[in-house]
Amino acid sequence: MGSSGLARLQGLFAVYKPPGLKWLHVRETVELQLLKGLNAQQPPAPKQRLRFLLGPVEGSEEKKLTLRATSVPSLTSHRLVRGPAFTNLKIGVGHRLDVQASGVLVLAVGHGRSLLTDISDAHLTKDYTVRGLLGKATDNFCEDGRLIEKTTYDHVTRERLDRILAMIQGSHQKALVTYSNLDLKSQEAYEMAVRGVIRPMSKSPMLITAIRCLHFAPPEFLLEVQCVHETQQQLRKLVHEIGLELKSTAVCTQVRRTRDGLFGLDDALLRTQWDLHNIQGAIQATAPRVAVELKKNLTLKLGPQQLPSAGPPWGLKGPSSTLELGSCAGQ
């Protein structure tokens, strides 16, 4: 039973990481719950072994003892003798989230850890909701940082914010084509652009593929950002730079990942669901989607008649500022 339960754990699944919790603590908690579930399963029947035991002679009234062949259970594999059957699990973590961020965190168990590398090489985009607050600037771009400056924001309008976001998206889309190493005049580039699957073929600076404002009620605003190769601190810096472009200041009050590649909020297990049964079900439910996406990505990277090869190391340098990406990408 334990071996079959472990076999159903080989794969990828997603959990929802609350804010204020380290990703390492999430992994340790999941591992503890999985070990608890595996060790709680009904153990197999113990093996029988033949022993010669002393016993009375059958059919004799005399009190004589003799050796008799008897089948008895072997206690060498008993849980109280050898301890728990499972003591550790190999659990991998995908794109990490820092302490203050929350949202979808992808984990892998056993042989599924190799899929994390394949997913990373696919350079899939991730979605975030980023909440900002106008009127002040801090040293770490967060609301709880050391206050540096206070400004007015009465002049900031939704139209001005939308123009800034459109400028950011346009400059990053140009850089995305550059880092994808595509010939803009080729049919392949046109078809990939139509399907919306243009992505960098190697490591690059943070690239924003889409950004829009979901809610605007000064001093608060809420952005939806689709990006690749980002860190949560870069997204906080993005809010700071947007504030400067608006001739004001802004700090980030929340970063929440709503999608990591194939995994969305609907796939993420809540903390009350971090147990063996729910994780096994999540792995089995997402396995077909993972296989399809990896096959599609291999086709996009290699083409129908190409052999696998390592991508060339592009000599492009990352920009010093998020808003300057368009001008730097063409160098």
Side-chain angles (χ1 to χ4, degrees), residues 253-271:
T253 59
Q254 182 190 55
V255 175
R256 182 172 179 251
R257 183 191 288 164
T258 57
R259 183 183 61 84
D260 185 351
L262 306 172
F263 299 88
L265 288 175
D266 293 338
D267 303 309
L269 300 175
L270 301 178
R271 194 166 187 173

Side-chain angles (χ1 to χ4, degrees), residues 55-161:
V57 179
E58 295 182 1
S60 174
E61 297 180 357
E62 299 180 4
K63 297 182 179 180
K64 293 183 178 181
L65 299 178
T66 184
L67 290 175
R68 299 174 56 190
T70 308
S71 179
V72 296
S74 175
L75 298 180
T76 57
S77 60
H78 196 279
R79 183 175 299 173
L80 296 179
V81 175
R82 61 176 297 180
F86 300 93
T87 57
N88 63 81
L89 286 174
K90 295 180 179 179
I91 299 180
V93 181
H95 300 110
R96 299 170 182 176
L97 289 169
D98 59 28
V99 176
Q100 295 173 315
S102 62
V104 180
L105 180 66
V106 179
L107 302 177
V109 183
H111 300 307
R113 292 180 303 156
S114 63
L115 297 176
L116 287 176
T117 303
D118 297 332
I119 291 293
S120 178
D121 292 341
H123 305 287
L124 301 177
T125 59
K126 297 176 283 296
D127 292 349
Y128 290 84
T129 54
V130 182
R131 193 176 299 275
L133 183 69
L134 294 167
K136 61 180 181 179
T138 60
D139 59 342
N140 62 355
F141 314 126
C142 297
E143 188 179 17
D144 59 355
R146 182 173 61 87
L147 184 64
I148 296 177
E149 182 182 7
K150 279 190 174 184
T151 57
T152 60
Y153 52 85
D154 296 339
H155 61 283
V156 178
T157 63
R158 175 67 179 264
E159 291 73 22
R160 293 189 65 179
L161 176 59

Side-chain angles (χ1 to χ4, degrees), residues 41 78 164 178 251 253:
Q41 292 181 336
H78 196 279
I164 296 298
T178 301
V251 293
T253 59

